[in-house]
């Protein structure tokens, strides 16, 4: 941490500074960048930065990045890149690279559970033997169907001429949907699946989506119209490739039994995907934000509400920062005026006391001399003292005027502070609050990237239905 000194801090910083010389790597991970010491950040050669929600975290991280890059980092572009990171996306900074790059992490999911036990090996060997038996049984069934067809060629046509599954070249992919029973009729459909990549560098969009479509296949069909298909979430890995044990099969058009036709239909699917598939995103024009792929409208509006609050708070902070120096200066003037007024009031009070005592002494001396018949009771000295006392009263009146002026100046300074606070309040009230999360949203349609369509498979999909 950047504060205190726990027991682990010294050895960890030593590793960061010296371990490279001995071929030892150190990995440091955190969800809160402000909890890391600058020394550790500046000694890291490779940085992987994910989504940061607060401006404080981004500012601290950018400070560390600038120190690690030795001033070669474009802070504005790096801040924009970090702020726009999506889910599972990271900004990678390498001291040996010219500039940071953005990557997307893979989905890490594995069902491997470790070494196989003896019981696992026995079950695997048994399953392999079962597969061999099923393969031999399927071959015998195929031979039996061929013999049956040969016999039927010399017999009158039966009512159900398409009861057996047609024998197709192995290059034609066949899939079987779930369900079905002994009385089910398996109907053929054309099935296509593709990976579609959408990209928009300006909006920082890079998304890949898997799609699948199913088209009804009539017995007399000559062409496959992908426009007539229906999308399905059943991708190739969700479908079975083993034929059912029971049920009958509907007739298959002759064109669907030729391998070359499937190559043509794959090209048609590629063109259809490029013409019809779009990545639909939502956009808020006022805030300039775009929904992430897979983000529904509710989640997007929650994010918009947070962004609107941050935008308004940022505007208010700028206003307060703009007036901060003026308010400090005005407040300082009020403080000085208060001190000046206090000093003037104190001087007036002291002068009143001194003048009163001097005048009382002078007048008292003159009165006592007159009462007791002293000669010269009203002497020149006595008169001079009386004159001095009178001047003191006059000076006291001037100081009283100084107090009045100081009071007026203090009132004016306080009014200036009040006026500035009013300006700040008016400016804050004038901040644009018209942009809200409830505003109407625009729809953006992102076309597939050039060369970003990859047809995975075009084949037959057999679906069961009631006879």
């Amino acid at each position: 941490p950047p504060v205190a000194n726990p027991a682990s801090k010294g050895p960890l910083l030593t590793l960061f500074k010296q371990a490279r010389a001995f071929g030892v790597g150190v990995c440091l991970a955190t969800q809160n960048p402000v909890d890391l010491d600058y020394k550790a950040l500046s000694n890291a050669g490779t940085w992987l930065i994910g989504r940061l929600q607060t401006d404080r975290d981004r500012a601290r991280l950018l400070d560390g990045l600038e120190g690690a890059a030795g001033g070669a980092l474009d802070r504005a572009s790096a801040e924009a890149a970090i702020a726009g990171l999506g889910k599972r996306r990271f900004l990678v900074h390498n001291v040996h690279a010219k500039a940071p790059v953005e990557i997307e992490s893979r989905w890490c999911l594995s069902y491997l559970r470790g070494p196989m036990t003896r019981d696992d090996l026995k079950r695997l060997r048994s399953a392999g033997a079962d597969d061999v038996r099923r393969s031999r049984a399927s071959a015998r069934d195929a031979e039996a169907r061929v013999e049956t067809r040969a016999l039927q060629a010399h017999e009158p046509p039966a009512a159900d001429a398409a009861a057996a599954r047609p024998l197709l070249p192995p290059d034609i992919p066949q899939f079987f949907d779930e369900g079905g029973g002994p009385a089910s009729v398996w109907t053929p459909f054309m099935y296509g699946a593709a990976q579609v990549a959408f990209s928009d560098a300006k909006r920082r969009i890079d998304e890949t989506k898997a799609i699948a479509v199913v088209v009804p296949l009539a017995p007399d069909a000559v062409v496959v119209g992908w426009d007539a298909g229906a999308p399905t979430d059943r991708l190739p890995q969700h479908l079975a490739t083993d034929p059912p044990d029971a049920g009958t099969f509907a007739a298959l058009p002759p064109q669907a039994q030729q391998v070359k036709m499937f190559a043509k239909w794959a090209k048609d699917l590629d063109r259809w995907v490029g013409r019809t598939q779009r990545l639909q995103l939502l956009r808020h024009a006022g805030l300039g934000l775009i929904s992430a792929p897979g983000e529904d409208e509710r989640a997007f509006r929650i994010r918009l509400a947070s962004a609107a609050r941050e935008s308004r708070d940022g505007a208010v902070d700028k206003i307060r920062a703009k007036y901060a120096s003026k308010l400090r200066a005005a407040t300082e003037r009020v403080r000085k005026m208060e001190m000046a007024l206090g000093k003037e009031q104190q001087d007036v009070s002291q002068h009143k006391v001194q003048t009163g005592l001097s005048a009382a002494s002078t007048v008292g001396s003159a009165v006592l001399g007159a009462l007791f018949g002293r000669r010269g009771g009203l002497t020149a000295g006595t008169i001079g003292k009386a004159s001095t006392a009178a001047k003191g009263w006059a000076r006291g009146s001037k100081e009283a005027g100084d107090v009045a002026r100081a009071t007026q100046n203090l009132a004016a300074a306080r009014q200036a502070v009040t006026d500035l606070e009013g300006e700040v309040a008016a400016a804050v009230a004038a901040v644009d609050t018209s942009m809200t999360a409830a505003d109407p949203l625009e729809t953006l349609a992102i076309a597939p990237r050039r060369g970003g369509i990859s047809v995975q498979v075009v084949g037959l999909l057999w679906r069961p239905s009631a006879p």
Side-chain angles (χ1 to χ4, degrees), residues 137-156:
S138 298
R140 287 195 297 269
D141 292 342
E143 293 176 358
R145 284 196 294 270
V146 171
E147 294 177 357
T148 302
R149 287 187 177 182
L151 292 174
Q152 289 176 347
H154 301 283
E155 296 177 357

Side-chain angles (χ1 to χ4, degrees), residues 46-123:
T46 304
W47 296 49
L48 287 91
I49 305 163
R51 298 181 68 185
L52 297 176
Q53 301 295 333
T54 65
D55 295 337
R56 179 167 171 257
D57 286 346
R58 288 195 288 269
R60 176 62 184 270
L61 198 64
L62 287 168
D63 291 341
L65 265 178
E66 283 184 327
L73 179 73
D74 185 352
R75 184 184 181 103
S77 61
E79 183 175 8
I82 294 173
L85 287 173
K87 296 179 180 178
R88 297 175 46 241
R89 301 192 69 84
F90 296 86
L91 186 70
V92 180
H93 169 73
N94 190 324
V95 293
H96 303 294
K98 295 182 179 179
V101 296
E102 187 175 332
I103 65 170
E104 181 176 8
S105 63
R106 297 178 179 177
W107 290 107
C108 297
L109 181 63
S110 174
Y111 292 101
L112 302 179
R113 61 176 182 81
M116 299 180 68
T117 63
R118 295 178 180 235
D119 293 336
D120 294 334
L121 292 172
K122 290 179 180 179
R123 285 197 295 270

Side-chain angles (χ1 to χ4, degrees), residues 1 9 49 64 145 175 193 235 318 329-330 352 387 448 455:
K9 185 171 182 177
I49 305 163
R145 284 196 294 270
F175 301 96
L235 299 178
K318 288 182 180 179
K352 284 181 178 180
S387 176
V455 176

Side-chain angles (χ1 to χ4, degrees), residues 25 33 50 59 87 110 145 150 167 184-185 189 191 193 202 212 307 335 357 359 388 401 432 461:
K87 296 179 180 178
S110 174
R145 284 196 294 270
L167 293 176
S184 297
V185 176
F189 291 82
Y191 175 82
K202 180 180 178 181
R335 186 185 69 82
L357 291 174
T388 301
D432 186 10
L461 174 62

